[in-house]
Amino acid sequence: MVYAYAIGSAGLSPPARRGLGGVALDVVARQELAAVYSRHRTLRPAPTRANVLTHERVVEAVLEQGPALPFRFATRMESAERLAAVLEERHDELRDALERVRGRVELGVRVLPRARAEDPDLSERSSAEPAPDRGRRYLLARAALRRAADRAARELHGPLSQAAVASVLSERPPAPAILVAAYLVDRERVEPFRERFAELAASLTHCDAFLTGPLPPYNFVDSPADADRR
Amino acid sequence: MRIDADEDDVARGLAQLVLTLVELLRQLMERQAIRRVEAGDLDDEQVERLGRALIALEQQMDELKETFDFTDDDLNLDLGPLGRLL
């Protein structure tokens, strides 16, 4: 089987680094597209920090050569021929997607509530006698978090999405985050975007916002592997 | 397309689907509860009962996720052009 890392333009060279399991990388190309993969007898990669970093570094190495469409972590296919078939079957769509991210990177924003709303559920699990109004407090805390998320979306995400080529707002940010969003930004607009973020983040009074990236545009590509799951 | 599934994968996939639907219902109930609390539709006792029911449901979901080793991201469905379920 093969493990797939990313799709780039034809002419892509295998990055000079090792893939998962220390295996050498290879490239399969079809028309205007190429994909980087490693070949394995069997592989069920656990989402450990080391494995995810290996995947990420290969994607970044592809990105150094030009635009890249990263595969989701743990994308495997039965053979390099199957991977080549995906490039052929979805050629035009993937080529257009590649053009869309050319010269662009992803920046991520994560917002945390400044004073965490009380969580009677967590705080009282160990107490012998739960507070008589824990149900009410739980609901009020949830309502407060929802309002904080709505406000962060208005005051931070709204203006930032105006400064980006495209944006994605997570419908269900993992706790304790109240907002998680990704922005596709032209490489040369990264600094102005950072400045805009810093300005908006400084004016937030109810939460703290953090910016990460630049990253490969994970949130702005449909995983090419989905073709294989249909 | 070749389907490469063993019994464990099928059982896990079914558990994932069921838990995804339960999680969807839980979230809808929570949103509805918040709306009703904020609209002042409920008296104190009703708010308390609803809150406790949601706490219990969340705890049970946490336990099930741990049992099946699912993350929040696992309990979602990609609906293609319609986006993600949750």
Side-chain angles (χ1 to χ4, degrees):
Chain A
M1 68 158 64
V2 298
Y3 180 99
Y5 299 87
I7 290 175
S9 301
L12 192 67
S13 319
R17 54 184 313 123
R18 297 275 165 175
L20 286 176
V23 173
L25 298 169
D26 211 339
V27 165
V28 61
R30 286 292 183 278
Q31 302 174 59
E32 295 169 57
L33 301 172
V36 175
Y37 68 94
S38 52
R39 197 182 293 274
H40 304 265
R41 197 177 294 273
T42 58
L43 183 70
R44 282 201 171 205
T48 60
R49 182 179 159 75
N51 284 344
V52 172
L53 268 179
T54 300
H55 177 97
E56 170 70 12
R57 299 257 155 82
V58 174
V59 173
E60 284 172 9
V62 175
L63 203 56
E64 282 169 16
Q65 297 185 46
L69 303 176
F71 280 97
R72 279 192 203 126
F73 177 76
T75 299
R76 289 154 294 161
M77 293 186 195
E78 62 193 52
S79 64
E81 289 69 35
R82 179 65 211 138
L83 179 55
V86 170
L87 297 184
E88 271 176 18
E89 287 160 13
R90 297 182 61 194
H91 181 271
D92 292 357
E93 178 193 340
L94 291 170
R95 183 199 51 206
D96 293 349
L98 210 50
E99 279 312 307
R100 185 163 177 257
V101 298
R102 185 182 289 278
R104 292 169 173 162
V105 289
E106 178 174 320
L107 291 163
V109 165
R110 187 175 153 83
V111 178
L112 303 176
R114 191 162 292 163
R116 278 199 62 186
E118 266 187 47
D119 192 342
D121 175 28
L122 291 177
S123 60
E124 285 166 16
R125 253 175 210 172
S126 56
S127 93
E129 277 188 45
D133 63 344
R134 65 196 288 255
R136 182 175 162 274
R137 288 203 285 138
Y138 173 89
L139 263 183
L140 293 180
R142 289 299 157 130
L145 282 178
R146 198 165 286 275
R147 280 196 302 274
D150 289 347
R151 200 173 143 195
R154 253 190 342 265
E155 296 176 8
L156 184 68
H157 173 67
L160 282 181
S161 56
Q162 299 288 316
V165 175
S167 63
V168 175
L169 181 64
S170 168
E171 288 292 325
R172 200 163 52 139
I178 54 171
L179 183 147
V180 171
Y183 304 87
L184 187 66
V185 178
D186 287 330
R187 243 177 225 287
E188 65 270 24
R189 300 287 306 158
V190 167
E191 273 319 303
F193 187 91
R194 279 186 194 286
E195 286 162 18
R196 182 76 176 123
F197 166 81
E199 182 191 328
L200 292 165
S203 65
L204 292 174
T205 53
H206 68 303
C207 52
D208 293 307
F210 303 90
L211 182 71
T212 53
L215 304 160
Y218 283 100
N219 284 291
F220 298 93
V221 298
D222 290 331
S223 179
D226 290 345
D228 213 40
R229 298 199 191 116
R230 282 172 189 166
Chain B
M1 183 175 110
R2 204 182 71 165
I3 296 176
D4 184 13
D6 59 34
E7 246 175 68
D8 284 351
D9 284 345
V10 172
R12 195 176 148 76
L14 184 61
Q16 188 174 4
L17 182 61
V18 171
L19 288 187
T20 298
L21 293 174
V22 174
E23 177 61 14
L24 171 68
L25 291 174
R26 189 191 73 76
Q27 287 191 28
L28 290 175
M29 283 168 62
E30 187 178 291
R31 282 177 207 189
Q32 179 68 3
I34 289 172
R35 263 199 294 274
R36 294 186 68 184
V37 169
E38 289 186 328
D41 285 354
L42 306 170
D43 63 33
D44 285 354
E45 198 192 323
Q46 286 172 315
V47 172
E48 182 59 29
R49 267 209 318 267
L50 202 50
R52 282 175 186 251
L54 288 168
I55 292 174
L57 198 51
E58 189 179 32
Q59 282 173 347
Q60 282 158 4
M61 275 305 290
D62 285 347
E63 283 164 20
L64 285 167
K65 278 189 279 191
E66 203 176 312
T67 303
F68 288 98
D69 197 21
F70 288 135
T71 65
D72 283 346
D73 269 355
D74 292 327
L75 300 191
N76 211 334
L77 289 178
D78 195 336
L79 302 176
L82 297 177
R84 311 275 285 176
L85 177 67
L86 296 176

